[in-house]
Amino acid sequence: MSKSILLCDDEVHILRAAEFKFQRAGFDVRTAADGLEGWEQVMARRPDLVITDWQMPRLDGFGLVQRIRAEESLSDLPIMMLTAKGFEVSHEELRARWGVYAVVAKPFSPRELLIRASELLETEPAAAGAVSAS
Amino acid sequence: MRGMKGATLFHWLAGCGLILSGALCASALGPWADARLGPLSSALGGGALLAALFAIAFYHCRWLNRRSRVFFESLAQMDPMRAVDPADFPRLPAGHPLADAARQLQSLFVAVGERLRLLEQTSATFEVRAIRAAHEAERIRQVFMGLSDPVLAVNQYGELVLINRAARELTGLSDDEPAGGPLTEAIDAPKLVDLITTTLRRPPGSTRGVELEWHLPGQPQRWYRATACKTGDDGRDAGVVAVLRDISDRKALQRRHAEFVSSVSHEMKTPLAGIKAYVELLADGDAEDEATREEFLRVINSQTERLQRLIDNLLNIARIEAGVVEVRKEPRSLNEILDEALRVVRPAAEAKQIDLQGDLSPLYLGVAADRDMLLQAAINLLSNAVKYTRPGGRVVLRSRMSDEEVRFEVSDTGVGLTADDCEKVFEKFYRVKKDKDMASGTGLGLPLTKRIVEDVHGGRISVESVVGEGSTFIVTLPAAGQRVVQSQGERT
């Protein structure tokens, strides 16, 4: 069974590029247009990895991370952040305090994003199943 | 003087006359008296002479006594603290035994009077100077107290010796509490106290500064730049004067600039991210079929255009602000420009299921306009309305003739603005809090529109809004040209 990834971003073309790359690599990809929709999808079915943008309408990426970490059953859910934010985001704090595995800066390389996501999922104890990287 | 001398001479002459008369009488009557009286006559003659001498002496003493009394009475009436005119000084006749002493006394009085006069002049000069100094000190105090910048001073012991009104308001020190106590007890601002006490240990003339964050109860946070200067020498006059300058506006501007840079970089990175991602997908050969490749190329193209628009907006606002924009104003039909704006924005409105309506005046609304710039302003207002109106909402563009002006307005059924937002929404870099959550933006669209309308076209822009019901942006421009009824076909 392939690993599932939830992508959250309000920019349709970013979502489409990442979705395209991960689907070609064999992942089960779901998408959400903002943090709130992402949260609803997480609660509906727990993904193996959440990749979320920071700045989004209704509920931003950080708000989504906080909600996930506040939920006991999701406290170990791997999260990666994809952001165009610069100095106002402390990557170190996101990693240390909120357990964000990686903060990837936009503009990003879909290829590198796929590699890092694959590394993360392969290192997870629960990561069973085939993950094929391109 | 001559009279006094004459009087004395008269006394002596009279006396001598009396004695001589007595002697003559005695010699004339001598034989007769000798014959008649015998030896008694000599005794009588001597007695008469003695009596005459006594009378002379008595009379002279009385005269001396009267003169002395008059002199001393006149002297007693004189004010020893006033300058004396020598002509007014009482005198004694030349033969008076106290005449020399009187003259010396007169000289003394005159000298003392002269000295007193000089002292009075000096005293008056000092009094005038003292009054001037007091006025000057009061003026300096008024200026010091009225300075809008908080100023305070401490002496060499670190005691607060001066504090103006602004500093009292800032530190919360009431007017009733006099300066004079230790600074550490008077002011609860450790950073400022540290600055002053550190400066106090520095050489005279040393200046140090620090930026302070200040919280006053019930007021927004303020920022101050405190500058402390060591005054006087290291002795008794040593001290420190500290001046605080409110730099809250500068700090707010810096913060807004930082937010602007962050926002602009975010807005630039987003289309760049699309371009980079799709170029890489194409380069990696991920797009296996022609349709996918075309789709990716379209995204790259649209994101390039998006980046171009952002840069154009930035440059336009910078040019208008710098006054270097090239404006080409020509007589134009406002409705034609608004029609074009509707055409540009309609796809975005349709994608969001927003009912975009045009309600343009049947009259020819002539304006002297730079077509591209006014079109940009109209597109910005319509785009904003579409952006902040939820799907299913409505956006209406109206145009009307109003007296000697033409106006157009963009109304929406969007989220609306608070009164505070309405005041600030045209400020550069300002972004409404809920707008940040609803859609991305640089906070440049409305400031640019305002500059195009007001600075370039001499018009006015305003906004009316009700939170939760929608907003109406109203643009008024000076009319140019004639009112002509357009054919129906020209209207939207």
mmCIF file of all heavy atoms in Angstrom, chain B residues 232-256:
data_model
loop_
_atom_site.group_PDB
_atom_site.id
_atom_site.type_symbol
_atom_site.label_atom_id
_atom_site.label_comp_id
_atom_site.label_asym_id
_atom_site.label_seq_id
_atom_site.Cartn_x
_atom_site.Cartn_y
_atom_site.Cartn_z
ATOM 1 N N GLY B 232 29.250 69.411 32.834
ATOM 2 C CA GLY B 232 30.141 69.964 33.850
ATOM 3 C C GLY B 232 31.469 69.235 33.864
ATOM 4 O O GLY B 232 31.812 68.477 32.966
ATOM 5 N N ASP B 233 32.242 69.503 34.938
ATOM 6 C CA ASP B 233 33.501 68.772 35.088
ATOM 7 C C ASP B 233 33.273 67.656 36.100
ATOM 8 O O ASP B 233 32.144 67.341 36.449
ATOM 9 C CB ASP B 233 34.631 69.716 35.516
ATOM 10 C CG ASP B 233 34.220 70.529 36.730
ATOM 11 O OD1 ASP B 233 33.422 70.007 37.538
ATOM 12 O OD2 ASP B 233 34.692 71.672 36.867
ATOM 13 N N ASP B 234 34.347 67.079 36.560
ATOM 14 C CA ASP B 234 34.174 65.970 37.491
ATOM 15 C C ASP B 234 33.934 66.442 38.923
ATOM 16 O O ASP B 234 33.822 65.652 39.841
ATOM 17 C CB ASP B 234 35.407 65.051 37.449
ATOM 18 C CG ASP B 234 35.267 64.080 36.282
ATOM 19 O OD1 ASP B 234 34.110 63.762 35.951
ATOM 20 O OD2 ASP B 234 36.288 63.676 35.720
ATOM 21 N N GLY B 235 33.889 67.753 39.117
ATOM 22 C CA GLY B 235 33.694 68.274 40.470
ATOM 23 C C GLY B 235 32.230 68.421 40.828
ATOM 24 O O GLY B 235 31.404 67.597 40.463
ATOM 25 N N ARG B 236 31.930 69.557 41.493
ATOM 26 C CA ARG B 236 30.577 69.729 42.024
ATOM 27 C C ARG B 236 29.528 69.929 40.945
ATOM 28 O O ARG B 236 28.365 69.660 41.156
ATOM 29 C CB ARG B 236 30.557 70.929 42.971
ATOM 30 C CG ARG B 236 31.289 70.653 44.273
ATOM 31 C CD ARG B 236 31.423 71.923 45.088
ATOM 32 N NE ARG B 236 30.143 72.577 45.261
ATOM 33 C CZ ARG B 236 30.007 73.869 45.575
ATOM 34 N NH1 ARG B 236 31.060 74.611 45.739
ATOM 35 N NH2 ARG B 236 28.813 74.399 45.731
ATOM 36 N N ASP B 237 29.947 70.461 39.763
ATOM 37 C CA ASP B 237 28.973 70.759 38.722
ATOM 38 C C ASP B 237 28.652 69.545 37.851
ATOM 39 O O ASP B 237 27.855 69.647 36.926
ATOM 40 C CB ASP B 237 29.515 71.879 37.819
ATOM 41 C CG ASP B 237 29.685 73.170 38.602
ATOM 42 O OD1 ASP B 237 28.959 73.324 39.606
ATOM 43 O OD2 ASP B 237 30.539 73.984 38.222
ATOM 44 N N ALA B 238 29.285 68.423 38.113
ATOM 45 C CA ALA B 238 29.087 67.253 37.253
ATOM 46 C C ALA B 238 27.641 66.764 37.320
ATOM 47 O O ALA B 238 26.958 66.939 38.329
ATOM 48 C CB ALA B 238 30.027 66.136 37.669
ATOM 49 N N GLY B 239 27.206 66.188 36.245
ATOM 50 C CA GLY B 239 25.846 65.655 36.184
ATOM 51 C C GLY B 239 25.591 65.048 34.825
ATOM 52 O O GLY B 239 26.489 64.988 33.982
ATOM 53 N N VAL B 240 24.369 64.601 34.626
ATOM 54 C CA VAL B 240 23.991 64.019 33.342
ATOM 55 C C VAL B 240 22.637 64.582 32.937
ATOM 56 O O VAL B 240 21.729 64.682 33.761
ATOM 57 C CB VAL B 240 23.912 62.472 33.431
ATOM 58 C CG1 VAL B 240 23.249 61.898 32.189
ATOM 59 C CG2 VAL B 240 25.293 61.877 33.600
ATOM 60 N N VAL B 241 22.555 64.996 31.672
ATOM 61 C CA VAL B 241 21.267 65.417 31.116
ATOM 62 C C VAL B 241 20.841 64.346 30.121
ATOM 63 O O VAL B 241 21.625 63.955 29.257
ATOM 64 C CB VAL B 241 21.379 66.781 30.399
ATOM 65 C CG1 VAL B 241 20.076 67.112 29.696
ATOM 66 C CG2 VAL B 241 21.721 67.872 31.397
ATOM 67 N N ALA B 242 19.625 63.872 30.281
ATOM 68 C CA ALA B 242 19.118 62.839 29.373
ATOM 69 C C ALA B 242 17.900 63.371 28.619
ATOM 70 O O ALA B 242 17.009 63.964 29.219
ATOM 71 C CB ALA B 242 18.736 61.592 30.147
ATOM 72 N N VAL B 243 17.920 63.205 27.301
ATOM 73 C CA VAL B 243 16.812 63.636 26.447
ATOM 74 C C VAL B 243 16.235 62.396 25.772
ATOM 75 O O VAL B 243 16.985 61.562 25.253
ATOM 76 C CB VAL B 243 17.291 64.635 25.371
ATOM 77 C CG1 VAL B 243 16.120 65.093 24.507
ATOM 78 C CG2 VAL B 243 17.974 65.825 26.008
ATOM 79 N N LEU B 244 14.917 62.286 25.803
ATOM 80 C CA LEU B 244 14.270 61.137 25.171
ATOM 81 C C LEU B 244 13.490 61.612 23.956
ATOM 82 O O LEU B 244 12.720 62.573 24.053
ATOM 83 C CB LEU B 244 13.332 60.431 26.151
ATOM 84 C CG LEU B 244 14.009 59.616 27.232
ATOM 85 C CD1 LEU B 244 14.341 60.457 28.444
ATOM 86 C CD2 LEU B 244 13.134 58.450 27.640
ATOM 87 N N ARG B 245 13.707 60.980 22.843
ATOM 88 C CA ARG B 245 12.987 61.350 21.615
ATOM 89 C C ARG B 245 12.071 60.204 21.205
ATOM 90 O O ARG B 245 12.507 59.050 21.139
ATOM 91 C CB ARG B 245 13.993 61.670 20.519
ATOM 92 C CG ARG B 245 13.347 61.922 19.176
ATOM 93 C CD ARG B 245 14.058 62.969 18.410
ATOM 94 N NE ARG B 245 13.976 64.268 19.066
ATOM 95 C CZ ARG B 245 14.628 65.350 18.638
ATOM 96 N NH1 ARG B 245 15.405 65.267 17.604
ATOM 97 N NH2 ARG B 245 14.503 66.500 19.258
ATOM 98 N N ASP B 246 10.829 60.561 20.947
ATOM 99 C CA ASP B 246 9.849 59.548 20.566
ATOM 100 C C ASP B 246 10.143 59.075 19.139
ATOM 101 O O ASP B 246 10.074 59.852 18.193
ATOM 102 C CB ASP B 246 8.439 60.154 20.632
ATOM 103 C CG ASP B 246 7.368 59.088 20.534
ATOM 104 O OD1 ASP B 246 7.664 58.008 19.999
ATOM 105 O OD2 ASP B 246 6.237 59.329 20.988
ATOM 106 N N ILE B 247 10.511 57.815 19.009
ATOM 107 C CA ILE B 247 10.821 57.275 17.674
ATOM 108 C C ILE B 247 9.814 56.195 17.285
ATOM 109 O O ILE B 247 10.100 55.351 16.452
ATOM 110 C CB ILE B 247 12.264 56.710 17.622
ATOM 111 C CG1 ILE B 247 12.477 55.650 18.726
ATOM 112 C CG2 ILE B 247 13.291 57.804 17.743
ATOM 113 C CD1 ILE B 247 13.745 54.836 18.544
ATOM 114 N N SER B 248 8.636 56.263 17.923
ATOM 115 C CA SER B 248 7.622 55.227 17.648
ATOM 116 C C SER B 248 7.229 55.208 16.173
ATOM 117 O O SER B 248 7.063 54.139 15.588
ATOM 118 C CB SER B 248 6.383 55.471 18.509
ATOM 119 O OG SER B 248 6.755 55.560 19.848
ATOM 120 N N ASP B 249 7.078 56.431 15.589
ATOM 121 C CA ASP B 249 6.668 56.488 14.183
ATOM 122 C C ASP B 249 7.734 55.859 13.292
ATOM 123 O O ASP B 249 7.418 55.139 12.347
ATOM 124 C CB ASP B 249 6.418 57.941 13.760
ATOM 125 C CG ASP B 249 5.163 58.500 14.409
ATOM 126 O OD1 ASP B 249 4.380 57.688 14.940
ATOM 127 O OD2 ASP B 249 4.990 59.722 14.414
ATOM 128 N N ARG B 250 9.011 56.172 13.619
ATOM 129 C CA ARG B 250 10.107 55.606 12.814
ATOM 130 C C ARG B 250 10.131 54.089 12.958
ATOM 131 O O ARG B 250 10.313 53.357 11.982
ATOM 132 C CB ARG B 250 11.440 56.206 13.263
ATOM 133 C CG ARG B 250 12.621 55.708 12.473
ATOM 134 C CD ARG B 250 13.789 56.679 12.535
ATOM 135 N NE ARG B 250 14.309 56.875 13.870
ATOM 136 C CZ ARG B 250 15.190 56.070 14.447
ATOM 137 N NH1 ARG B 250 15.642 55.020 13.794
ATOM 138 N NH2 ARG B 250 15.626 56.305 15.656
ATOM 139 N N LYS B 251 9.913 53.634 14.188
ATOM 140 C CA LYS B 251 9.895 52.188 14.432
ATOM 141 C C LYS B 251 8.744 51.526 13.670
ATOM 142 O O LYS B 251 8.907 50.450 13.096
ATOM 143 C CB LYS B 251 9.737 51.917 15.941
ATOM 144 C CG LYS B 251 11.032 52.041 16.709
ATOM 145 C CD LYS B 251 11.870 50.791 16.489
ATOM 146 C CE LYS B 251 13.179 50.881 17.219
ATOM 147 N NZ LYS B 251 14.037 49.723 16.919
ATOM 148 N N ALA B 252 7.580 52.215 13.705
ATOM 149 C CA ALA B 252 6.416 51.656 13.002
ATOM 150 C C ALA B 252 6.700 51.591 11.501
ATOM 151 O O ALA B 252 6.343 50.621 10.833
ATOM 152 C CB ALA B 252 5.186 52.516 13.285
ATOM 153 N N LEU B 253 7.357 52.657 10.991
ATOM 154 C CA LEU B 253 7.700 52.681 9.571
ATOM 155 C C LEU B 253 8.688 51.562 9.234
ATOM 156 O O LEU B 253 8.548 50.875 8.222
ATOM 157 C CB LEU B 253 8.307 54.044 9.214
ATOM 158 C CG LEU B 253 8.450 54.339 7.721
ATOM 159 C CD1 LEU B 253 7.091 54.371 7.044
ATOM 160 C CD2 LEU B 253 9.175 55.659 7.501
ATOM 161 N N GLN B 254 9.660 51.378 10.122
ATOM 162 C CA GLN B 254 10.634 50.298 9.900
ATOM 163 C C GLN B 254 9.921 48.945 9.879
ATOM 164 O O GLN B 254 10.215 48.084 9.055
ATOM 165 C CB GLN B 254 11.683 50.305 11.021
ATOM 166 C CG GLN B 254 12.729 51.385 10.874
ATOM 167 C CD GLN B 254 13.667 51.441 12.069
ATOM 168 O OE1 GLN B 254 13.411 50.838 13.108
ATOM 169 N NE2 GLN B 254 14.740 52.178 11.926
ATOM 170 N N ARG B 255 8.981 48.804 10.840
ATOM 171 C CA ARG B 255 8.258 47.533 10.910
ATOM 172 C C ARG B 255 7.436 47.326 9.640
ATOM 173 O O ARG B 255 7.395 46.240 9.070
ATOM 174 C CB ARG B 255 7.364 47.525 12.152
ATOM 175 C CG ARG B 255 6.797 46.156 12.470
ATOM 176 C CD ARG B 255 6.062 46.129 13.790
ATOM 177 N NE ARG B 255 4.990 47.084 13.857
ATOM 178 C CZ ARG B 255 4.995 48.160 14.617
ATOM 179 N NH1 ARG B 255 6.028 48.432 15.373
ATOM 180 N NH2 ARG B 255 3.972 49.004 14.622
ATOM 181 N N ARG B 256 6.787 48.440 9.197
ATOM 182 C CA ARG B 256 5.966 48.323 7.989
ATOM 183 C C ARG B 256 6.840 48.030 6.777
ATOM 184 O O ARG B 256 6.460 47.279 5.885
ATOM 185 C CB ARG B 256 5.154 49.608 7.778
ATOM 186 C CG ARG B 256 4.059 49.790 8.813
ATOM 187 C CD ARG B 256 2.798 50.374 8.202
ATOM 188 N NE ARG B 256 3.010 51.618 7.515
ATOM 189 C CZ ARG B 256 2.684 52.810 7.991
ATOM 190 N NH1 ARG B 256 2.153 52.890 9.181
ATOM 191 N NH2 ARG B 256 2.857 53.895 7.288
#
